[in-house]
């Protein structure tokens, strides 16, 4: 069985990938407390002691709003950390898969495909793009970039994704102000795992978007959550993107991201993802 070393193994996306693909691959999960990826020497020492076929790199500084103030830390983790892991993979001639984001795009001229030009508007997106440039599939034939967007899953105690944040607000009968003039492309993490399994088994030196098949406004997304989970949609009011970004800088407005290269698996729409989650939670 292929041996996959995976960073960010205890994060939102990584932990679900390991849960779902544990029968297909042998994972070597690497969490932050085992290895700080910003320490080059430790990275090389750590990987010197293990054998693996693939290195899938998900660990990242992911707090988009805070990154605007903590630029150096975001750079250190997302750019330097990635460069150390990439150098390590190159030195060992191992396959390297880097997880990136729709936030590398400006959100000004959608839709965005794999070959669209990145032009990040915030620090988080910029650091992820700088990392993409370092490990560009052109520089090392054993590398691949997978961009995902607004990942969500049924349950995960450690971190609430946007879906569970919106849902908890509505369950707790708290009012929600949602943007009407913006787009997001929610992606069911279980689908990311299925797409990743295909890409590992059919590795090519390229960039892929593994993203949901529906883009909608945050207002529409919250309204859909209210409908599917029978929650009170009257708690949801409207706010403009301009108003919202005053307190949440660094996010692209029209994050409509699509794929021309994913011809192997049909990713769920948000509505289909919510129905799948409802089943997983045994609410159906
Ligand atoms: N979540 C999103 O909305 C989203 C959207 C698009 C793309 N992505 C990308 O998808 C990947 C996974 O995201 P996610 O949401 O699963 O992230 P996450 O839940 O925030 O997990 C990130 C992981 O990275 C670890 N980490 C942080 N700094 C580290 C360091 N210096 N050394 C080693 N590990 C470190 C964290 O450990 P600790 O928690 O212990 O610090 C955490 O387990 C990331 O590359 C992200 O950029 C995420």
């Amino acid at each position: 069985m292929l041996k996959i070393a995976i960073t960010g193994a205890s994060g939102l996306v990584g932990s679900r990938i390991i849960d779902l693909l544990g029968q297909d691959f042998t994972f070597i999960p690497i969490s932050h407390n085992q290895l700080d990826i910003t320490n080059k020497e430790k990275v090389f020492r750590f990987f010197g002691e293990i054998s693996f076929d693939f290195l899938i790199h998900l660990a990242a500084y992911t707090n988009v709003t805070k990154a605007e103030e903590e630029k150096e830390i975001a750079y250190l983790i997302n750019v330097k950390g990635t460069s150390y892991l990439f150098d390590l993979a190159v030195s060992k001639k191992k396959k390297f898969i880097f997880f990136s984001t729709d936030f590398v795009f400006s959100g000004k001229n959608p839709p965005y495909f794999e070959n669209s030009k990145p032009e990040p508007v915030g620090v988080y997106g910029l650091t992820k793009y700088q990392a993409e440039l370092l490990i560009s599939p052109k520089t090392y034939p054993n590398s691949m970039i997978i961009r995902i967007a607004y990942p969500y899953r049924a349950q995960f105690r450690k971190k609430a994704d946007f879906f569970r944040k919106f849902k908890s607000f509505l369950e707790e009968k708290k009012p929600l102000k949602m943007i009407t003039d913006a787009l997001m492309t929610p992606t069911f993490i279980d689908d990311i795992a299925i797409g990743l399994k295909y890409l590992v088994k059919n590795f090519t030196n390229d960039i892929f978007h593994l993203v949901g098949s529906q883009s909608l406004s945050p207002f529409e997304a919250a309204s859909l959550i209210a409908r599917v989970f029978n929650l009170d949609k009257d708690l949801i009011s409207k706010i403009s993107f301009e108003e919202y970004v005053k307190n949440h800088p660094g996010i692209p407005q029209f994050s409509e991201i699509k794929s021309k290269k994913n011809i192997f698996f049909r990713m769920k729409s948000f509505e289909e993802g919510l129905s799948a989650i409802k089943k997983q939670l045994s609410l159906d």
Side-chain angles (χ1 to χ4, degrees), residues 13 21-22 67 71 98-99 145 152 167 186 189 198-199 201 237 273 275:
V13 180
L21 303 185
K71 290 188 178 64
F98 174 60
F99 267 74
I145 293 171
Y152 63 94
K167 183 163 164 277
I189 297 176
Y198 177 89
L199 289 172
K201 292 189 170 176
S237 60
S275 301

Side-chain angles (χ1 to χ4, degrees), residues 29-64:
I30 304 162
S31 60
H32 195 170
N33 56 20
Q34 283 170 286
L35 174 69
D36 178 357
I37 61 162
T38 65
N39 185 322
K40 185 171 188 174
E41 202 191 313
K42 283 194 181 150
V43 166
F44 275 72
R45 203 178 323 133
F46 183 91
F47 283 96
E49 288 161 13
I50 57 172
S51 76
F52 60 95
D53 305 298
F54 272 77
L55 173 51
I56 299 187
H57 174 37
L58 289 119
Y61 181 106
T62 54
N63 190 324
V64 176

Side-chain angles (χ1 to χ4, degrees), residues 63-253:
N63 190 324
V64 176
T65 308
K66 245 167 106 184
E68 295 297 314
E69 281 160 23
E70 298 189 340
K71 290 188 178 64
E72 291 78 18
I73 304 175
Y75 179 83
L76 191 63
I77 297 172
N78 291 351
V79 186
K80 297 306 281 182
T82 301
S83 77
Y84 302 149
L85 291 163
F86 177 63
D87 288 350
L88 179 280
V90 173
S91 75
K92 292 199 151 211
K93 300 187 174 62
K94 301 297 178 192
K95 293 197 168 66
F96 186 78
I97 299 183
F98 174 60
F99 267 74
S100 191
T101 170
D102 54 327
F103 280 27
V104 298
F105 298 115
S106 70
K108 290 174 185 153
N109 47 355
Y112 296 100
F113 293 94
E114 283 88 348
N115 63 349
S116 302
K117 192 181 171 336
E119 202 181 344
V121 292
V123 171
Y124 166 73
L126 177 65
T127 57
K128 295 295 285 189
Y129 181 46
Q130 287 169 320
E132 281 194 11
L133 289 174
L134 278 175
I135 62 134
S136 160
K138 283 185 199 120
T139 57
Y140 179 55
N142 276 336
S143 64
M144 178 190 286
I145 293 171
I146 298 178
R147 297 195 187 110
I148 60 172
Y150 290 92
Y152 63 94
R153 59 189 277 189
Q155 285 168 309
F156 183 54
R157 228 173 256 146
K158 207 177 142 196
K159 179 175 157 188
D161 50 52
F162 81 92
F163 149 68
R164 280 172 295 123
K165 267 184 210 152
F166 293 2
K167 183 163 164 277
S168 321
F169 260 73
L170 298 175
E171 283 166 346
E172 290 161 22
K173 308 212 179 305
K174 289 186 193 155
L176 257 183
K177 273 190 181 173
M178 288 286 109
I179 314 173
T180 47
D181 58 340
L183 286 174
M184 62 195 298
T185 306
T187 310
F188 189 35
I189 297 176
D190 297 23
D191 284 354
I192 295 175
I194 297 172
L196 175 66
K197 178 173 152 183
Y198 177 89
L199 289 172
V200 166
K201 292 189 170 176
N202 299 274
F203 189 89
T204 48
N205 174 219
D206 212 341
I207 300 180
F208 291 90
H209 288 176
L210 281 183
V211 293
S213 58
Q214 179 185 20
S215 301
L216 67 183
S217 72
F219 181 83
E220 289 167 329
S223 305
L224 201 53
I225 293 169
R227 176 154 68 72
V228 172
F229 292 92
N230 300 317
L231 297 164
D232 183 3
K233 72 171 174 27
D234 293 338
L235 290 164
I236 311 166
S237 60
K238 297 177 178 177
I239 186 173
S240 69
F241 180 78
E242 196 185 347
E243 195 61 33
Y244 183 84
V245 287
K246 283 182 191 160
N247 297 320
H248 302 86
I251 62 170
Q253 186 168 4

